[in-house]
Amino acid sequence: MTEAQATPQPVTAWLPAVAAAWIIPGAGHFLLRRPGRGVLVFVSVTTMFLIGLMMRGPMFQPQGGDLLTMLIYYGGFASHIASGALYFITVALGYNQPDVAGHVYDYGSKFLVGAGLLNVLAMVDVHEIATGKKS
Amino acid sequence: MPRMALSHMETAFLFALFTSVVLGITTKRTDAERLRYGVQCFAYFILALFGIGWLMYFGHG
């Protein structure tokens, strides 16, 4: 076990980088001087999100009901939030695609959710780099 | 915002590509391992795409 793993890092050591990674995909890696990885994360997450929008994927909103419905809608909403500024700007600009039947809309929805989930992975990676668990 | 209507194949290919890039970046420790894992993930995605596609084709008769 390394010294960094044995000693818990203060929140201030990783919070700014993780917050930056959340707000702008890839920004956390940039802050930690990993620009190559930052660019790849930014391009991957942003392109996936934009493709989802261009395919007119619907945005999930928290919705009650049976367990599976709640899981899908709350989970989908959480993944949208994980996309950070991409989601907030999209909503602020009035994007409001209704959930209609059709395979293209469905693919779009998966891209929007997938972009958020990939950004969660990037945020975890930033946290591990900032706390010294990873280079 | 322009509209985009991709086929299932194009959509799955793009999804596999971007997901593999991020998985490669975030899960390994050296650049060589990242590249290898990213390519491996992408290959598995495409393999599953064709494999499950053919399985469904034969499953439907």
Side-chain angles (χ1 to χ4, degrees), chain A residues 33-46:
Chain A
R33 297 174 197 281
R34 271 78 175 176
R37 280 185 256 172
V39 167
L40 286 171
V41 168
F42 177 78
V43 169
S44 299
V45 173
T46 306

PDB file of all heavy atoms in Angstrom, chain A residues 33-46:
ATOM      1  N   ARG A  33      -3.327  18.315 -14.937  1.00  0.00           N
ATOM      2  CA  ARG A  33      -2.242  18.269 -15.936  1.00  0.00           C
ATOM      3  C   ARG A  33      -2.188  16.940 -16.678  1.00  0.00           C
ATOM      4  O   ARG A  33      -1.127  16.344 -16.833  1.00  0.00           O
ATOM      5  CB  ARG A  33      -0.896  18.578 -15.287  1.00  0.00           C
ATOM      6  CG  ARG A  33      -0.843  19.970 -14.708  1.00  0.00           C
ATOM      7  CD  ARG A  33       0.446  20.196 -13.951  1.00  0.00           C
ATOM      8  NE  ARG A  33       0.362  21.344 -13.069  1.00  0.00           N
ATOM      9  CZ  ARG A  33       0.480  22.604 -13.459  1.00  0.00           C
ATOM     10  NH1 ARG A  33       0.661  22.884 -14.711  1.00  0.00           N
ATOM     11  NH2 ARG A  33       0.396  23.594 -12.586  1.00  0.00           N
ATOM     12  N   ARG A  34      -3.360  16.478 -17.084  1.00  0.00           N
ATOM     13  CA  ARG A  34      -3.460  15.321 -17.997  1.00  0.00           C
ATOM     14  C   ARG A  34      -4.255  15.770 -19.219  1.00  0.00           C
ATOM     15  O   ARG A  34      -5.403  15.331 -19.413  1.00  0.00           O
ATOM     16  CB  ARG A  34      -4.171  14.141 -17.329  1.00  0.00           C
ATOM     17  CG  ARG A  34      -3.281  13.170 -16.572  1.00  0.00           C
ATOM     18  CD  ARG A  34      -2.893  13.712 -15.252  1.00  0.00           C
ATOM     19  NE  ARG A  34      -2.139  12.740 -14.455  1.00  0.00           N
ATOM     20  CZ  ARG A  34      -1.636  13.057 -13.282  1.00  0.00           C
ATOM     21  NH1 ARG A  34      -1.775  14.264 -12.779  1.00  0.00           N
ATOM     22  NH2 ARG A  34      -0.956  12.151 -12.591  1.00  0.00           N
ATOM     23  N   PRO A  35      -3.695  16.682 -20.019  1.00  0.00           N
ATOM     24  CA  PRO A  35      -4.485  17.282 -21.109  1.00  0.00           C
ATOM     25  C   PRO A  35      -4.922  16.280 -22.175  1.00  0.00           C
ATOM     26  O   PRO A  35      -6.005  16.409 -22.734  1.00  0.00           O
ATOM     27  CB  PRO A  35      -3.543  18.344 -21.696  1.00  0.00           C
ATOM     28  CG  PRO A  35      -2.176  17.944 -21.287  1.00  0.00           C
ATOM     29  CD  PRO A  35      -2.323  17.238 -19.978  1.00  0.00           C
ATOM     30  N   GLY A  36      -4.075  15.285 -22.457  1.00  0.00           N
ATOM     31  CA  GLY A  36      -4.427  14.296 -23.483  1.00  0.00           C
ATOM     32  C   GLY A  36      -5.693  13.548 -23.114  1.00  0.00           C
ATOM     33  O   GLY A  36      -6.634  13.433 -23.911  1.00  0.00           O
ATOM     34  N   ARG A  37      -5.715  13.070 -21.866  1.00  0.00           N
ATOM     35  CA  ARG A  37      -6.902  12.348 -21.396  1.00  0.00           C
ATOM     36  C   ARG A  37      -8.098  13.293 -21.295  1.00  0.00           C
ATOM     37  O   ARG A  37      -9.238  12.896 -21.557  1.00  0.00           O
ATOM     38  CB  ARG A  37      -6.604  11.706 -20.039  1.00  0.00           C
ATOM     39  CG  ARG A  37      -5.826  10.416 -20.172  1.00  0.00           C
ATOM     40  CD  ARG A  37      -5.660   9.771 -18.826  1.00  0.00           C
ATOM     41  NE  ARG A  37      -4.315   9.968 -18.329  1.00  0.00           N
ATOM     42  CZ  ARG A  37      -3.903   9.643 -17.107  1.00  0.00           C
ATOM     43  NH1 ARG A  37      -4.760   9.100 -16.260  1.00  0.00           N
ATOM     44  NH2 ARG A  37      -2.666   9.839 -16.729  1.00  0.00           N
ATOM     45  N   GLY A  38      -7.837  14.541 -20.914  1.00  0.00           N
ATOM     46  CA  GLY A  38      -8.915  15.529 -20.825  1.00  0.00           C
ATOM     47  C   GLY A  38      -9.588  15.758 -22.165  1.00  0.00           C
ATOM     48  O   GLY A  38     -10.823  15.797 -22.258  1.00  0.00           O
ATOM     49  N   VAL A  39      -8.785  15.874 -23.205  1.00  0.00           N
ATOM     50  CA  VAL A  39      -9.344  16.095 -24.548  1.00  0.00           C
ATOM     51  C   VAL A  39     -10.185  14.890 -24.972  1.00  0.00           C
ATOM     52  O   VAL A  39     -11.308  15.049 -25.491  1.00  0.00           O
ATOM     53  CB  VAL A  39      -8.208  16.352 -25.572  1.00  0.00           C
ATOM     54  CG1 VAL A  39      -8.738  16.265 -26.992  1.00  0.00           C
ATOM     55  CG2 VAL A  39      -7.571  17.705 -25.336  1.00  0.00           C
ATOM     56  N   LEU A  40      -9.662  13.691 -24.729  1.00  0.00           N
ATOM     57  CA  LEU A  40     -10.401  12.485 -25.146  1.00  0.00           C
ATOM     58  C   LEU A  40     -11.739  12.361 -24.400  1.00  0.00           C
ATOM     59  O   LEU A  40     -12.769  12.024 -25.001  1.00  0.00           O
ATOM     60  CB  LEU A  40      -9.547  11.231 -24.918  1.00  0.00           C
ATOM     61  CG  LEU A  40      -8.409  11.029 -25.915  1.00  0.00           C
ATOM     62  CD1 LEU A  40      -7.505   9.887 -25.481  1.00  0.00           C
ATOM     63  CD2 LEU A  40      -8.949  10.752 -27.303  1.00  0.00           C
ATOM     64  N   VAL A  41     -11.719  12.659 -23.097  1.00  0.00           N
ATOM     65  CA  VAL A  41     -12.967  12.593 -22.322  1.00  0.00           C
ATOM     66  C   VAL A  41     -13.937  13.664 -22.828  1.00  0.00           C
ATOM     67  O   VAL A  41     -15.127  13.386 -23.053  1.00  0.00           O
ATOM     68  CB  VAL A  41     -12.693  12.780 -20.806  1.00  0.00           C
ATOM     69  CG1 VAL A  41     -13.993  13.013 -20.047  1.00  0.00           C
ATOM     70  CG2 VAL A  41     -11.973  11.566 -20.249  1.00  0.00           C
ATOM     71  N   PHE A  42     -13.429  14.872 -23.028  1.00  0.00           N
ATOM     72  CA  PHE A  42     -14.292  15.971 -23.483  1.00  0.00           C
ATOM     73  C   PHE A  42     -14.945  15.619 -24.827  1.00  0.00           C
ATOM     74  O   PHE A  42     -16.162  15.756 -24.999  1.00  0.00           O
ATOM     75  CB  PHE A  42     -13.481  17.261 -23.611  1.00  0.00           C
ATOM     76  CG  PHE A  42     -14.278  18.419 -24.137  1.00  0.00           C
ATOM     77  CD1 PHE A  42     -15.140  19.113 -23.310  1.00  0.00           C
ATOM     78  CD2 PHE A  42     -14.205  18.786 -25.476  1.00  0.00           C
ATOM     79  CE1 PHE A  42     -15.900  20.171 -23.796  1.00  0.00           C
ATOM     80  CE2 PHE A  42     -14.955  19.839 -25.967  1.00  0.00           C
ATOM     81  CZ  PHE A  42     -15.810  20.533 -25.132  1.00  0.00           C
ATOM     82  N   VAL A  43     -14.110  15.168 -25.776  1.00  0.00           N
ATOM     83  CA  VAL A  43     -14.640  14.858 -27.115  1.00  0.00           C
ATOM     84  C   VAL A  43     -15.647  13.698 -27.031  1.00  0.00           C
ATOM     85  O   VAL A  43     -16.731  13.769 -27.629  1.00  0.00           O
ATOM     86  CB  VAL A  43     -13.477  14.516 -28.079  1.00  0.00           C
ATOM     87  CG1 VAL A  43     -14.006  13.944 -29.379  1.00  0.00           C
ATOM     88  CG2 VAL A  43     -12.648  15.761 -28.359  1.00  0.00           C
ATOM     89  N   SER A  44     -15.309  12.661 -26.282  1.00  0.00           N
ATOM     90  CA  SER A  44     -16.204  11.483 -26.212  1.00  0.00           C
ATOM     91  C   SER A  44     -17.539  11.838 -25.575  1.00  0.00           C
ATOM     92  O   SER A  44     -18.607  11.550 -26.138  1.00  0.00           O
ATOM     93  CB  SER A  44     -15.534  10.355 -25.409  1.00  0.00           C
ATOM     94  OG  SER A  44     -14.346   9.965 -26.043  1.00  0.00           O
ATOM     95  N   VAL A  45     -17.493  12.462 -24.397  1.00  0.00           N
ATOM     96  CA  VAL A  45     -18.742  12.748 -23.662  1.00  0.00           C
ATOM     97  C   VAL A  45     -19.576  13.792 -24.414  1.00  0.00           C
ATOM     98  O   VAL A  45     -20.781  13.613 -24.606  1.00  0.00           O
ATOM     99  CB  VAL A  45     -18.431  13.218 -22.217  1.00  0.00           C
ATOM    100  CG1 VAL A  45     -19.700  13.673 -21.516  1.00  0.00           C
ATOM    101  CG2 VAL A  45     -17.770  12.097 -21.432  1.00  0.00           C
ATOM    102  N   THR A  46     -18.924  14.850 -24.875  1.00  0.00           N
ATOM    103  CA  THR A  46     -19.668  15.919 -25.554  1.00  0.00           C
ATOM    104  C   THR A  46     -20.272  15.428 -26.869  1.00  0.00           C
ATOM    105  O   THR A  46     -21.430  15.725 -27.179  1.00  0.00           O
ATOM    106  CB  THR A  46     -18.742  17.129 -25.814  1.00  0.00           C
ATOM    107  OG1 THR A  46     -18.159  17.515 -24.580  1.00  0.00           O
ATOM    108  CG2 THR A  46     -19.506  18.301 -26.393  1.00  0.00           C
TER     109      THR A  46
END
